[in-house]
PDB file of all heavy atoms in Angstrom:
ATOM      1  N   PRO A 542       4.149   6.608   9.729  1.00 98.00           N
ATOM      2  CA  PRO A 542       4.067   7.919  10.380  1.00 98.00           C
ATOM      3  C   PRO A 542       3.913   9.029   9.337  1.00 98.00           C
ATOM      4  O   PRO A 542       4.746   9.182   8.450  1.00 98.00           O
ATOM      5  CB  PRO A 542       5.402   8.009  11.113  1.00 98.00           C
ATOM      6  CG  PRO A 542       5.752   6.589  11.435  1.00 98.00           C
ATOM      7  CD  PRO A 542       5.302   5.817  10.223  1.00 98.00           C
ATOM      8  N   GLY A 543       2.809   9.769   9.421  1.00 98.00           N
ATOM      9  CA  GLY A 543       2.552  10.838   8.463  1.00 98.00           C
ATOM     10  C   GLY A 543       1.758  10.416   7.252  1.00 98.00           C
ATOM     11  O   GLY A 543       1.534  11.237   6.349  1.00 98.00           O
ATOM     12  N   THR A 544       1.269   9.189   7.201  1.00 98.00           N
ATOM     13  CA  THR A 544       0.624   8.683   5.986  1.00 98.00           C
ATOM     14  C   THR A 544      -0.510   7.723   6.310  1.00 98.00           C
ATOM     15  O   THR A 544      -0.355   6.822   7.129  1.00 98.00           O
ATOM     16  CB  THR A 544       1.630   7.904   5.110  1.00 98.00           C
ATOM     17  OG1 THR A 544       2.739   8.728   4.822  1.00 98.00           O
ATOM     18  CG2 THR A 544       0.988   7.439   3.822  1.00 98.00           C
ATOM     19  N   THR A 545      -1.641   7.906   5.647  1.00 98.00           N
ATOM     20  CA  THR A 545      -2.723   6.930   5.627  1.00 98.00           C
ATOM     21  C   THR A 545      -3.192   6.804   4.180  1.00 98.00           C
ATOM     22  O   THR A 545      -3.357   7.813   3.492  1.00 98.00           O
ATOM     23  CB  THR A 545      -3.915   7.361   6.492  1.00 98.00           C
ATOM     24  OG1 THR A 545      -3.477   7.577   7.826  1.00 98.00           O
ATOM     25  CG2 THR A 545      -5.018   6.317   6.484  1.00 98.00           C
ATOM     26  N   SER A 546      -3.417   5.584   3.726  1.00 98.00           N
ATOM     27  CA  SER A 546      -3.854   5.394   2.338  1.00 98.00           C
ATOM     28  C   SER A 546      -4.768   4.194   2.239  1.00 98.00           C
ATOM     29  O   SER A 546      -4.710   3.275   3.054  1.00 98.00           O
ATOM     30  CB  SER A 546      -2.640   5.202   1.417  1.00 98.00           C
ATOM     31  OG  SER A 546      -1.864   4.084   1.831  1.00 98.00           O
ATOM     32  N   ILE A 547      -5.624   4.209   1.219  1.00 98.00           N
ATOM     33  CA  ILE A 547      -6.505   3.078   0.956  1.00 98.00           C
ATOM     34  C   ILE A 547      -6.858   3.063  -0.524  1.00 98.00           C
ATOM     35  O   ILE A 547      -7.041   4.110  -1.141  1.00 98.00           O
ATOM     36  CB  ILE A 547      -7.799   3.150   1.812  1.00 98.00           C
ATOM     37  CG1 ILE A 547      -8.656   1.892   1.608  1.00 98.00           C
ATOM     38  CG2 ILE A 547      -8.604   4.410   1.508  1.00 98.00           C
ATOM     39  CD1 ILE A 547      -9.826   1.775   2.591  1.00 98.00           C
ATOM     40  N   VAL A 548      -6.934   1.864  -1.089  1.00 98.00           N
ATOM     41  CA  VAL A 548      -7.448   1.680  -2.446  1.00 98.00           C
ATOM     42  C   VAL A 548      -8.422   0.520  -2.403  1.00 98.00           C
ATOM     43  O   VAL A 548      -8.175  -0.487  -1.736  1.00 98.00           O
ATOM     44  CB  VAL A 548      -6.315   1.441  -3.471  1.00 98.00           C
ATOM     45  CG1 VAL A 548      -5.542   0.169  -3.151  1.00 98.00           C
ATOM     46  CG2 VAL A 548      -6.863   1.405  -4.885  1.00 98.00           C
ATOM     47  N   VAL A 549      -9.557   0.683  -3.078  1.00 98.00           N
ATOM     48  CA  VAL A 549     -10.627  -0.315  -3.078  1.00 98.00           C
ATOM     49  C   VAL A 549     -11.071  -0.567  -4.505  1.00 98.00           C
ATOM     50  O   VAL A 549     -11.232   0.374  -5.288  1.00 98.00           O
ATOM     51  CB  VAL A 549     -11.831   0.166  -2.231  1.00 98.00           C
ATOM     52  CG1 VAL A 549     -13.023  -0.779  -2.389  1.00 98.00           C
ATOM     53  CG2 VAL A 549     -11.446   0.309  -0.766  1.00 98.00           C
ATOM     54  N   ARG A 550     -11.265  -1.834  -4.847  1.00 98.00           N
ATOM     55  CA  ARG A 550     -11.864  -2.242  -6.117  1.00 98.00           C
ATOM     56  C   ARG A 550     -13.092  -3.084  -5.773  1.00 98.00           C
ATOM     57  O   ARG A 550     -12.983  -4.041  -5.021  1.00 98.00           O
ATOM     58  CB  ARG A 550     -10.891  -3.066  -6.967  1.00 98.00           C
ATOM     59  CG  ARG A 550      -9.623  -2.346  -7.356  1.00 98.00           C
ATOM     60  CD  ARG A 550      -8.611  -3.286  -8.035  1.00 98.00           C
ATOM     61  NE  ARG A 550      -9.121  -3.817  -9.290  1.00 98.00           N
ATOM     62  CZ  ARG A 550      -9.602  -5.041  -9.450  1.00 98.00           C
ATOM     63  NH1 ARG A 550      -9.641  -5.893  -8.417  1.00 98.00           N
ATOM     64  NH2 ARG A 550     -10.054  -5.450 -10.631  1.00 98.00           N
ATOM     65  N   THR A 551     -14.251  -2.766  -6.328  1.00 96.00           N
ATOM     66  CA  THR A 551     -15.470  -3.477  -5.976  1.00 96.00           C
ATOM     67  C   THR A 551     -15.890  -4.455  -7.074  1.00 96.00           C
ATOM     68  O   THR A 551     -15.493  -4.323  -8.229  1.00 96.00           O
ATOM     69  CB  THR A 551     -16.634  -2.508  -5.711  1.00 96.00           C
ATOM     70  OG1 THR A 551     -17.136  -2.015  -6.969  1.00 96.00           O
ATOM     71  CG2 THR A 551     -16.185  -1.344  -4.836  1.00 96.00           C
ATOM     72  N   TYR A 552     -16.741  -5.381  -6.679  1.00 94.00           N
ATOM     73  CA  TYR A 552     -17.222  -6.409  -7.605  1.00 94.00           C
ATOM     74  C   TYR A 552     -18.056  -5.818  -8.745  1.00 94.00           C
ATOM     75  O   TYR A 552     -18.204  -6.433  -9.800  1.00 94.00           O
ATOM     76  CB  TYR A 552     -18.058  -7.441  -6.841  1.00 94.00           C
ATOM     77  CG  TYR A 552     -19.422  -6.925  -6.441  1.00 94.00           C
ATOM     78  CD1 TYR A 552     -20.539  -7.158  -7.235  1.00 94.00           C
ATOM     79  CD2 TYR A 552     -19.592  -6.176  -5.275  1.00 94.00           C
ATOM     80  CE1 TYR A 552     -21.784  -6.671  -6.881  1.00 94.00           C
ATOM     81  CE2 TYR A 552     -20.823  -5.693  -4.914  1.00 94.00           C
ATOM     82  CZ  TYR A 552     -21.927  -5.938  -5.712  1.00 94.00           C
ATOM     83  OH  TYR A 552     -23.152  -5.446  -5.363  1.00 94.00           O
ATOM     84  N   ASN A 553     -18.622  -4.611  -8.542  1.00 93.00           N
ATOM     85  CA  ASN A 553     -19.537  -4.040  -9.527  1.00 93.00           C
ATOM     86  C   ASN A 553     -18.947  -2.859 -10.291  1.00 93.00           C
ATOM     87  O   ASN A 553     -19.662  -1.983 -10.756  1.00 93.00           O
ATOM     88  CB  ASN A 553     -20.847  -3.630  -8.853  1.00 93.00           C
ATOM     89  CG  ASN A 553     -20.651  -2.626  -7.725  1.00 93.00           C
ATOM     90  OD1 ASN A 553     -19.524  -2.367  -7.311  1.00 93.00           O
ATOM     91  ND2 ASN A 553     -21.743  -2.068  -7.227  1.00 93.00           N
ATOM     92  N   GLY A 554     -17.605  -2.830 -10.439  1.00 95.00           N
ATOM     93  CA  GLY A 554     -17.000  -1.877 -11.357  1.00 95.00           C
ATOM     94  C   GLY A 554     -16.612  -0.539 -10.789  1.00 95.00           C
ATOM     95  O   GLY A 554     -16.292   0.385 -11.549  1.00 95.00           O
ATOM     96  N   LEU A 555     -16.620  -0.408  -9.481  1.00 97.00           N
ATOM     97  CA  LEU A 555     -16.189   0.831  -8.833  1.00 97.00           C
ATOM     98  C   LEU A 555     -14.779   0.665  -8.279  1.00 97.00           C
ATOM     99  O   LEU A 555     -14.388  -0.431  -7.875  1.00 97.00           O
ATOM    100  CB  LEU A 555     -17.115   1.169  -7.667  1.00 97.00           C
ATOM    101  CG  LEU A 555     -18.341   2.033  -7.926  1.00 97.00           C
ATOM    102  CD1 LEU A 555     -19.244   2.011  -6.690  1.00 97.00           C
ATOM    103  CD2 LEU A 555     -17.936   3.448  -8.252  1.00 97.00           C
ATOM    104  N   SER A 556     -14.047   1.760  -8.233  1.00 98.00           N
ATOM    105  CA  SER A 556     -12.803   1.764  -7.469  1.00 98.00           C
ATOM    106  C   SER A 556     -12.546   3.172  -6.976  1.00 98.00           C
ATOM    107  O   SER A 556     -13.032   4.139  -7.551  1.00 98.00           O
ATOM    108  CB  SER A 556     -11.614   1.263  -8.304  1.00 98.00           C
ATOM    109  OG  SER A 556     -11.269   2.182  -9.314  1.00 98.00           O
ATOM    110  N   TRP A 557     -11.798   3.265  -5.881  1.00 98.00           N
ATOM    111  CA  TRP A 557     -11.395   4.578  -5.378  1.00 98.00           C
ATOM    112  C   TRP A 557     -10.102   4.453  -4.607  1.00 98.00           C
ATOM    113  O   TRP A 557      -9.728   3.378  -4.137  1.00 98.00           O
ATOM    114  CB  TRP A 557     -12.479   5.214  -4.510  1.00 98.00           C
ATOM    115  CG  TRP A 557     -12.961   4.412  -3.351  1.00 98.00           C
ATOM    116  CD1 TRP A 557     -12.367   4.242  -2.137  1.00 98.00           C
ATOM    117  CD2 TRP A 557     -14.184   3.651  -3.295  1.00 98.00           C
ATOM    118  NE1 TRP A 557     -13.127   3.441  -1.323  1.00 98.00           N
ATOM    119  CE2 TRP A 557     -14.245   3.066  -2.008  1.00 98.00           C
ATOM    120  CE3 TRP A 557     -15.229   3.436  -4.196  1.00 98.00           C
ATOM    121  CZ2 TRP A 557     -15.312   2.271  -1.609  1.00 98.00           C
ATOM    122  CZ3 TRP A 557     -16.277   2.635  -3.796  1.00 98.00           C
ATOM    123  CH2 TRP A 557     -16.325   2.068  -2.525  1.00 98.00           C
ATOM    124  N   ALA A 558      -9.419   5.579  -4.518  1.00 98.00           N
ATOM    125  CA  ALA A 558      -8.187   5.659  -3.737  1.00 98.00           C
ATOM    126  C   ALA A 558      -8.214   6.970  -2.964  1.00 98.00           C
ATOM    127  O   ALA A 558      -8.577   8.020  -3.509  1.00 98.00           O
ATOM    128  CB  ALA A 558      -6.961   5.616  -4.636  1.00 98.00           C
ATOM    129  N   ALA A 559      -7.850   6.902  -1.691  1.00 98.00           N
ATOM    130  CA  ALA A 559      -7.765   8.090  -0.852  1.00 98.00           C
ATOM    131  C   ALA A 559      -6.425   8.075  -0.128  1.00 98.00           C
ATOM    132  O   ALA A 559      -5.963   7.020   0.325  1.00 98.00           O
ATOM    133  CB  ALA A 559      -8.906   8.137   0.164  1.00 98.00           C
ATOM    134  N   VAL A 560      -5.800   9.234  -0.033  1.00 98.00           N
ATOM    135  CA  VAL A 560      -4.512   9.369   0.648  1.00 98.00           C
ATOM    136  C   VAL A 560      -4.549  10.611   1.533  1.00 98.00           C
ATOM    137  O   VAL A 560      -5.207  11.607   1.206  1.00 98.00           O
ATOM    138  CB  VAL A 560      -3.338   9.459  -0.352  1.00 98.00           C
ATOM    139  CG1 VAL A 560      -3.046   8.100  -0.964  1.00 98.00           C
ATOM    140  CG2 VAL A 560      -3.620  10.484  -1.459  1.00 98.00           C
ATOM    141  N   PHE A 561      -3.822  10.539   2.663  1.00 98.00           N
ATOM    142  CA  PHE A 561      -3.794  11.636   3.625  1.00 98.00           C
ATOM    143  C   PHE A 561      -2.366  11.839   4.125  1.00 98.00           C
ATOM    144  O   PHE A 561      -1.555  10.910   4.103  1.00 98.00           O
ATOM    145  CB  PHE A 561      -4.715  11.335   4.809  1.00 98.00           C
ATOM    146  CG  PHE A 561      -6.138  11.082   4.414  1.00 98.00           C
ATOM    147  CD1 PHE A 561      -6.595   9.782   4.238  1.00 98.00           C
ATOM    148  CD2 PHE A 561      -7.010  12.132   4.197  1.00 98.00           C
ATOM    149  CE1 PHE A 561      -7.900   9.537   3.856  1.00 98.00           C
ATOM    150  CE2 PHE A 561      -8.331  11.896   3.815  1.00 98.00           C
ATOM    151  CZ  PHE A 561      -8.777  10.594   3.638  1.00 98.00           C
ATOM    152  N   ASN A 562      -2.087  13.040   4.626  1.00 98.00           N
ATOM    153  CA  ASN A 562      -0.725  13.352   5.073  1.00 98.00           C
ATOM    154  C   ASN A 562      -0.542  13.244   6.582  1.00 98.00           C
ATOM    155  O   ASN A 562       0.301  13.902   7.162  1.00 98.00           O
ATOM    156  CB  ASN A 562      -0.302  14.740   4.586  1.00 98.00           C
ATOM    157  CG  ASN A 562      -1.046  15.867   5.281  1.00 98.00           C
ATOM    158  OD1 ASN A 562      -2.133  15.673   5.832  1.00 98.00           O
ATOM    159  ND2 ASN A 562      -0.467  17.073   5.243  1.00 98.00           N
ATOM    160  N   ARG A 563      -1.339  12.392   7.218  1.00 98.00           N
ATOM    161  CA  ARG A 563      -1.088  12.024   8.612  1.00 98.00           C
ATOM    162  C   ARG A 563      -1.878  10.776   8.949  1.00 98.00           C
ATOM    163  O   ARG A 563      -2.775  10.371   8.204  1.00 98.00           O
ATOM    164  CB  ARG A 563      -1.417  13.169   9.569  1.00 98.00           C
ATOM    165  CG  ARG A 563      -2.875  13.506   9.757  1.00 98.00           C
ATOM    166  CD  ARG A 563      -3.032  14.718  10.698  1.00 98.00           C
ATOM    167  NE  ARG A 563      -2.310  14.533  11.947  1.00 98.00           N
ATOM    168  CZ  ARG A 563      -1.757  15.538  12.653  1.00 98.00           C
ATOM    169  NH1 ARG A 563      -1.836  16.789  12.209  1.00 98.00           N
ATOM    170  NH2 ARG A 563      -1.145  15.298  13.793  1.00 98.00           N
ATOM    171  N   ARG A 564      -1.536  10.150  10.081  1.00 98.00           N
ATOM    172  CA  ARG A 564      -2.272   8.970  10.521  1.00 98.00           C
ATOM    173  C   ARG A 564      -2.612   9.021  12.002  1.00 98.00           C
ATOM    174  O   ARG A 564      -3.182   8.075  12.545  1.00 98.00           O
ATOM    175  CB  ARG A 564      -1.473   7.700  10.246  1.00 98.00           C
ATOM    176  CG  ARG A 564      -0.275   7.483  11.162  1.00 98.00           C
ATOM    177  CD  ARG A 564       0.331   6.096  10.999  1.00 98.00           C
ATOM    178  NE  ARG A 564       1.384   5.843  11.973  1.00 98.00           N
ATOM    179  CZ  ARG A 564       2.089   4.715  12.016  1.00 98.00           C
ATOM    180  NH1 ARG A 564       1.846   3.758  11.136  1.00 98.00           N
ATOM    181  NH2 ARG A 564       3.029   4.549  12.931  1.00 98.00           N
ATOM    182  N   ASP A 565      -2.262  10.104  12.680  1.00 97.00           N
ATOM    183  CA  ASP A 565      -2.547  10.220  14.103  1.00 97.00           C
ATOM    184  C   ASP A 565      -2.782  11.680  14.448  1.00 97.00           C
ATOM    185  O   ASP A 565      -2.267  12.579  13.782  1.00 97.00           O
ATOM    186  CB  ASP A 565      -1.385   9.671  14.931  1.00 97.00           C
ATOM    187  CG  ASP A 565      -0.086  10.440  14.687  1.00 97.00           C
ATOM    188  OD1 ASP A 565       0.066  11.563  15.221  1.00 97.00           O
ATOM    189  OD2 ASP A 565       0.769   9.932  13.943  1.00 97.00           O
ATOM    190  N   ASP A 566      -3.579  11.919  15.474  1.00 96.00           N
ATOM    191  CA  ASP A 566      -3.813  13.283  15.935  1.00 96.00           C
ATOM    192  C   ASP A 566      -4.391  13.222  17.341  1.00 96.00           C
ATOM    193  O   ASP A 566      -4.818  12.150  17.797  1.00 96.00           O
ATOM    194  CB  ASP A 566      -4.770  14.019  14.986  1.00 96.00           C
ATOM    195  CG  ASP A 566      -6.164  13.430  15.004  1.00 96.00           C
ATOM    196  OD1 ASP A 566      -6.967  13.836  15.861  1.00 96.00           O
ATOM    197  OD2 ASP A 566      -6.444  12.543  14.174  1.00 96.00           O
ATOM    198  N   PRO A 567      -4.414  14.325  18.053  1.00 96.00           N
ATOM    199  CA  PRO A 567      -4.881  14.308  19.449  1.00 96.00           C
ATOM    200  C   PRO A 567      -6.331  13.886  19.640  1.00 96.00           C
ATOM    201  O   PRO A 567      -6.724  13.534  20.754  1.00 96.00           O
ATOM    202  CB  PRO A 567      -4.669  15.766  19.899  1.00 96.00           C
ATOM    203  CG  PRO A 567      -3.564  16.275  19.019  1.00 96.00           C
ATOM    204  CD  PRO A 567      -3.817  15.630  17.689  1.00 96.00           C
ATOM    205  N   SER A 568      -7.143  13.909  18.569  1.00 95.00           N
ATOM    206  CA  SER A 568      -8.545  13.530  18.723  1.00 95.00           C
ATOM    207  C   SER A 568      -8.700  12.062  19.099  1.00 95.00           C
ATOM    208  O   SER A 568      -9.693  11.674  19.716  1.00 95.00           O
ATOM    209  CB  SER A 568      -9.315  13.798  17.425  1.00 95.00           C
ATOM    210  OG  SER A 568      -9.017  12.815  16.439  1.00 95.00           O
ATOM    211  N   GLY A 569      -7.734  11.231  18.707  1.00 95.00           N
ATOM    212  CA  GLY A 569      -7.827   9.811  18.981  1.00 95.00           C
ATOM    213  C   GLY A 569      -8.795   9.075  18.076  1.00 95.00           C
ATOM    214  O   GLY A 569      -9.031   7.871  18.244  1.00 95.00           O
ATOM    215  N   LYS A 570      -9.374   9.762  17.092  1.00 96.00           N
ATOM    216  CA  LYS A 570     -10.325   9.128  16.186  1.00 96.00           C
ATOM    217  C   LYS A 570      -9.619   8.141  15.262  1.00 96.00           C
ATOM    218  O   LYS A 570      -8.483   8.353  14.863  1.00 96.00           O
ATOM    219  CB  LYS A 570     -11.059  10.187  15.365  1.00 96.00           C
ATOM    220  CG  LYS A 570     -11.980  11.095  16.177  1.00 96.00           C
ATOM    221  CD  LYS A 570     -12.654  12.115  15.282  1.00 96.00           C
ATOM    222  CE  LYS A 570     -13.577  13.035  16.084  1.00 96.00           C
ATOM    223  NZ  LYS A 570     -14.729  12.302  16.632  1.00 96.00           N
ATOM    224  N   SER A 571     -10.327   7.102  14.906  1.00 97.00           N
ATOM    225  CA  SER A 571      -9.766   6.082  14.021  1.00 97.00           C
ATOM    226  C   SER A 571      -9.636   6.607  12.595  1.00 97.00           C
ATOM    227  O   SER A 571     -10.531   7.300  12.084  1.00 97.00           O
ATOM    228  CB  SER A 571     -10.656   4.844  14.020  1.00 97.00           C
ATOM    229  OG  SER A 571     -10.249   3.942  13.016  1.00 97.00           O
ATOM    230  N   TYR A 572      -8.540   6.255  11.954  1.00 97.00           N
ATOM    231  CA  TYR A 572      -8.362   6.586  10.542  1.00 97.00           C
ATOM    232  C   TYR A 572      -8.917   5.478   9.653  1.00 97.00           C
ATOM    233  O   TYR A 572      -9.094   5.675   8.450  1.00 97.00           O
ATOM    234  CB  TYR A 572      -6.880   6.867  10.253  1.00 97.00           C
ATOM    235  CG  TYR A 572      -6.464   8.252  10.706  1.00 97.00           C
ATOM    236  CD1 TYR A 572      -6.540   8.623  12.048  1.00 97.00           C
ATOM    237  CD2 TYR A 572      -6.032   9.198   9.794  1.00 97.00           C
ATOM    238  CE1 TYR A 572      -6.187   9.891  12.463  1.00 97.00           C
ATOM    239  CE2 TYR A 572      -5.664  10.473  10.200  1.00 97.00           C
ATOM    240  CZ  TYR A 572      -5.747  10.811  11.548  1.00 97.00           C
ATOM    241  OH  TYR A 572      -5.408  12.086  11.946  1.00 97.00           O
ATOM    242  N   ASP A 573      -9.232   4.318  10.234  1.00 96.00           N
ATOM    243  CA  ASP A 573      -9.872   3.250   9.479  1.00 96.00           C
ATOM    244  C   ASP A 573     -11.267   3.646   9.013  1.00 96.00           C
ATOM    245  O   ASP A 573     -11.810   3.056   8.072  1.00 96.00           O
ATOM    246  CB  ASP A 573      -9.998   1.984  10.337  1.00 96.00           C
ATOM    247  CG  ASP A 573      -8.660   1.394  10.719  1.00 96.00           C
ATOM    248  OD1 ASP A 573      -7.648   1.754  10.091  1.00 96.00           O
ATOM    249  OD2 ASP A 573      -8.624   0.576  11.669  1.00 96.00           O
ATOM    250  N   ASP A 574     -11.858   4.656   9.673  1.00 97.00           N
ATOM    251  CA  ASP A 574     -13.227   5.051   9.363  1.00 97.00           C
ATOM    252  C   ASP A 574     -13.397   5.562   7.939  1.00 97.00           C
ATOM    253  O   ASP A 574     -14.525   5.640   7.441  1.00 97.00           O
ATOM    254  CB  ASP A 574     -13.691   6.139  10.335  1.00 97.00           C
ATOM    255  CG  ASP A 574     -13.877   5.629  11.753  1.00 97.00           C
ATOM    256  OD1 ASP A 574     -13.875   4.403  11.940  1.00 97.00           O
ATOM    257  OD2 ASP A 574     -13.995   6.464  12.666  1.00 97.00           O
ATOM    258  N   ILE A 575     -12.305   5.919   7.286  1.00 98.00           N
ATOM    259  CA  ILE A 575     -12.424   6.419   5.914  1.00 98.00           C
ATOM    260  C   ILE A 575     -13.008   5.353   4.998  1.00 98.00           C
ATOM    261  O   ILE A 575     -13.682   5.662   4.018  1.00 98.00           O
ATOM    262  CB  ILE A 575     -11.058   6.913   5.382  1.00 98.00           C
ATOM    263  CG1 ILE A 575     -11.243   7.660   4.069  1.00 98.00           C
ATOM    264  CG2 ILE A 575     -10.076   5.761   5.236  1.00 98.00           C
ATOM    265  CD1 ILE A 575     -12.162   8.877   4.138  1.00 98.00           C
ATOM    266  N   ASP A 576     -12.795   4.090   5.334  1.00 97.00           N
ATOM    267  CA  ASP A 576     -13.340   3.009   4.509  1.00 97.00           C
ATOM    268  C   ASP A 576     -14.861   3.065   4.471  1.00 97.00           C
ATOM    269  O   ASP A 576     -15.470   3.127   3.398  1.00 97.00           O
ATOM    270  CB  ASP A 576     -12.854   1.672   5.047  1.00 97.00           C
ATOM    271  CG  ASP A 576     -13.438   0.495   4.296  1.00 97.00           C
ATOM    272  OD1 ASP A 576     -13.247   0.397   3.071  1.00 97.00           O
ATOM    273  OD2 ASP A 576     -14.113  -0.331   4.941  1.00 97.00           O
TER     274      ASP A 576
END
Side-chain angles (χ1 to χ4, degrees):
T544 304
T545 303
S546 58
I547 185 170
V548 62
V549 172
R550 299 172 63 257
T551 76
Y552 74 95
N553 58 350
L555 270 169
S556 70
W557 55 79
V560 286
F561 302 96
N562 70 339
R563 71 183 308 148
R564 73 170 186 182
D565 61 77
D566 66 87
S568 75
K570 293 180 180 293
S571 171
Y572 282 62
D573 296 344
D574 291 348
I575 190 59
D576 177 59

